[in-house]
Amino acid sequence: MMQQQARIVTKPSTTFVRKFSVRARKMNVTRAQLSQDELKQQAAWKAVEYVKSGMVVGLGTGSTAAFAVDRIGSLLKSGELKDIVGVPTSIRTYEQAKSLGIPLATLDEQPKLDVAIDGADEVDPQLDVVKGRGGALLREKMVEMASDKFVCIVDESKLVDGLGGSKDAMPIEIVQFCHEYTLRRIAALPEVAGCEARLRMDGDAPYVTDNSNYIVDLYFQTPIKDSHAAAKAIMALEGVVDHGLFLDMVNVCIIAGSNGIEVKERQ
């Protein structure tokens, strides 16, 4: 039987393996119906409890991570945290952290981080995640791989049975050179068969990342069958810089839901 290939569409998009178990614990915070932003803030504030004075901290990108950056800035201002150095994962986060007075560095200056806090677009039961719909996936992955602990913060809407299960974008950062060629090669991979591959657009022009690259978004109707195989196949293609599959990376996932905070830890 012929292998189904991914579809290429012209409609623009807008948007180290190891075995482990997951231990979960819940902290009930029963309240009236909370907004999504309130849930995000709950998760972010809980994550900041992992930050101690004197630490080097990876500062994530996105609406949930922004609450964590705000909280770190507030605790520094009040004196509850001291001698923190932040390593931002995007220009946007750099600007936010700088405005809050958080001392900043790059991986060149601080190659070893104590903890990174960042959100995710999807989280599966094994704590593998999809990231990068905000366009910062490369810097996020570099910073989080350099961290001793990666604390992922989400609200319950991000939970999926399998990666790709939300039917929203799974991003791949690619070089600009011959980007249509690279997009077609990605779409032809049997490991992502059945998805739609779209070049992310910003108005009438391709979206450009902080690293001057483009993004191809893959849309799946059903979860990716083998995320590790897909990740390996994508990275084997010339022209691909990195992808939004963050596999075997999350140490702690903090999930804010209507019934409270749930903390899942990699064992």
Side-chain angles (χ1 to χ4, degrees):
M1 183 178 293
M2 180 174 287
Q3 175 72 52
Q4 183 186 14
Q5 289 190 346
R7 289 199 295 141
I8 301 172
V9 296
T10 56
K11 179 181 178 182
S13 162
T14 55
T15 49
F16 317 104
V17 181
R18 61 182 183 270
K19 299 289 185 180
F20 67 93
S21 60
V22 174
R23 183 181 68 192
R25 63 181 188 270
K26 288 189 176 182
M27 281 151 265
N28 291 324
V29 192
T30 306
R31 295 193 177 106
Q33 187 68 32
L34 297 175
S35 70
Q36 190 175 38
D37 277 349
E38 288 171 322
L39 292 174
K40 290 178 178 181
Q41 185 184 61
Q42 280 189 5
W45 282 37
K46 180 64 182 175
V48 174
E49 293 179 12
Y50 288 85
V51 178
K52 309 300 180 186
S53 293
M55 282 188 169
V56 181
V57 182
L59 305 176
T61 295
S63 58
T64 308
F67 285 113
V69 177
D70 278 339
R71 179 65 170 164
I72 291 169
S74 177
L75 293 175
L76 277 171
K77 186 175 181 179
S78 70
E80 295 174 71
L81 282 178
K82 298 179 180 179
D83 302 319
I84 295 295
V85 175
V87 179
T89 55
S90 66
I91 294 173
R92 183 162 73 251
T93 300
Y94 167 85
E95 292 172 345
Q96 178 194 7
K98 186 177 179 181
S99 73
L100 294 168
I102 301 174
L104 299 174
T106 67
L107 288 176
D108 287 339
E109 299 153 331
Q110 295 285 350
K112 186 72 170 176
L113 283 67
D114 297 290
V115 63
I117 299 174
D118 205 353
D121 301 306
E122 295 181 0
V123 181
D124 76 5
Q126 289 73 44
L127 303 189
D128 288 333
V129 304
V130 167
K131 291 180 51 55
R133 291 178 189 162
L137 64 101
L138 176 60
R139 296 191 187 191
E140 288 173 333
K141 189 172 284 188
M142 291 176 68
V143 169
E144 284 142 25
M145 286 296 292
S147 302
D148 288 341
K149 186 184 293 289
F150 175 18
V151 180
C152 181
I153 48 177
V154 296
D155 65 84
E156 59 189 353
S157 70
K158 306 299 185 182
L159 302 181
V160 295
D161 292 330
L163 299 185
S166 70
K167 300 184 180 181
D168 209 336
M170 197 290 283
I172 302 171
E173 188 160 344
I174 66 171
V175 299
Q176 294 191 28
F177 175 73
C178 295
H179 62 276
E180 292 181 1
Y181 166 78
T182 303
L183 185 152
R184 288 194 296 268
R185 293 189 72 203
I186 293 169
L189 290 172
E191 291 83 359
V192 298
C195 75
E196 290 185 354
R198 308 178 190 172
L199 181 68
R200 186 178 299 187
M201 302 295 287
D202 183 8
D204 295 329
Y207 175 89
V208 179
T209 71
D210 287 348
N211 316 298
S212 300
N213 296 315
Y214 289 167
I215 287 181
V216 171
D217 287 318
L218 303 186
Y219 293 83
F220 296 86
Q221 291 304 306
T222 57
I224 303 169
K225 291 181 180 179
D226 187 335
S227 297
H228 287 89
K232 183 177 180 180
I234 291 166
M235 286 303 297
L237 297 179
E238 303 83 7
V240 168
V241 179
D242 217 321
H243 53 73
L245 294 168
F246 284 51
L247 308 178
D248 307 295
M249 288 180 58
V250 173
N251 301 105
V252 179
C253 188
I254 299 174
I255 304 160
S258 54
N259 294 322
I261 297 289
E262 183 175 13
V263 179
K264 292 187 175 182
E265 299 179 352
R266 183 187 299 273
Q267 299 300 301

